[in-house]
Amino acid sequence: MSDVEQQAREVKAFLDRLAERNASRGQEPTWIAARRQAGAARFEALGFPTRRDEAWKYTDVRAIARGDFVLTDNAEFSPASAAALTLPIEAYRLTFVDGVFSPALSDLGDLPGGVAVLPLSQALAENHEAVGGPLGRLTGVEFSPFSALNTAFMEEGAVVRLAPGSVVEKPILLQFLSRANAEPVMSHPRILVEAGSRSQATLIEHHVGESEAANFTNLVAELMLDRGAILTHYKLQEAPLGDLHVASIHVEQNRDSRYTSFNLNLGGGLVRNDLIGELNGEGAETNFYGLFYGQGRQHIDNHTLANHNAPRTFSNENYKGILDDRARGVFNGKVVVKRDSQKIEGFQSNANLLLSDRAEIDAKPELEIYADDVKCSHGTTTGQLDEEAVYALRTRGIDEQTARGLLTLAFAGEVMELVDLDAISERVELAVAGKLPERFNLAGLVEAAVALHDE
């Protein structure tokens, strides 16, 4: 069978699954049906990306394309198992099991006035026209084959609306649980956030599941920040190692808004994240902080893009990669300064730590500048643990495993020190360094190791 025939067969398998689903659906609003058709048509035209596509040259998605994934309608999940997986944090919580909303595992409590957090299915049932305008405005079917596939299949997800001036004190937690099913399951969740002017909130997107799960998640998130809005977005991706995870996150920022992303990837066998920021108003600020930790044969690909579409906008990016065993990481970060976007500042840094001779990283920072009064910089480095620093710590009675764990954590310190939520920091520390005797002051670790080394 030729490659073309194979690819056509793969696409047809997904479209057949879509046709089965469509046959079982009830009547839908016209605009939803039209978008499904557009998504399916676009996906059929594009097919799955291959390594001949520049944006996918380091990431092989055949495990997705050749997978036989079913859709599910139930959200059964042991409460005890869910409790063991969930973040121990006080939050407004929406839970999805293999993409299906679980009321039993959700708890919204008393939301502040002017704040709405609800599953997409409920938002569509209550007022589908209010959803139809913003949904798909940032991420259309043209963005990628996966966004087209998501649009064709979309059924569930989360809608968050913040009225102007509203402040949400507790985080809003969107929890996605993956089950160990008899057959692998696929889900195509959507997240839609509309943050009104001067509103403020913290959003946590948490992906986790049963260790034997082997499902496919294809998520699209659209986040819209009006003038002066502040949104901090934690993505903690701890999916089981058999899971396949693709996400497209688009952020639109108006004047004086501030968006901060913590993109923390620890799990998943195959992971691809696209994070795109559109800085459309003067004074808008975006911060992209990322950490990816891969082991075994994990493959973690992060693509970021900050578009400075207006003058006096600010972007700051710092991504750290830690790779062990035969894991492979990809970082592609791009900053684009449009014509007439004067007096912008755009900084980008990527550093990678290889803990094994067989681990690999492909890093590509990019700048495209079409204005002349700007401050921009970018850079990437790759290295290994300093064996003399390991030795220096061991001379102080610290065993080798702990010494390596501490130095690895110290490498991640620039990003992790900015994380305000202990529950998230502790999950990352446990994954990266294992169980340590006690919480360590990450800020002092590098200095301590260097000082010991210099003695």
Side-chain angles (χ1 to χ4, degrees), residues 24 52 95 107 110-111 113 160 184 201 203 253 270 275 279 311 319 339 353 383:
S24 66
R52 292 189 293 273
T95 300
D107 182 5
D110 295 322
L111 286 165
V160 178
L203 180 73
Q253 293 184 243
L270 171 62
L275 173 60
L279 292 96
Y319 264 64
R339 193 181 305 279
L353 178 65

Side-chain angles (χ1 to χ4, degrees), residues 50-96:
T50 72
R51 297 182 67 173
R52 292 189 293 273
D53 299 302
E54 179 65 24
W56 296 86
K57 64 185 296 185
Y58 298 118
T59 297
D60 184 347
V61 300
R62 282 180 295 180
I64 297 172
R66 296 179 181 179
D68 184 14
F69 302 102
V70 300
L71 297 162
T72 186
D73 289 317
N74 80 75
E76 296 175 5
F77 204 94
S78 159
S81 298
L85 293 170
T86 194
L87 285 171
I89 191 170
E90 188 176 354
Y92 303 108
R93 190 180 309 261
L94 276 187
T95 300
F96 303 89

Side-chain angles (χ1 to χ4, degrees), residues 221-241:
E222 297 171 284
L223 317 176
M224 302 163 192
L225 279 65
D226 208 343
R227 182 171 184 165
I230 298 174
L231 181 68
T232 301
H233 178 197
Y234 290 92
K235 175 175 180 173
L236 177 61
Q237 191 275 109
E238 299 182 287
L241 294 178

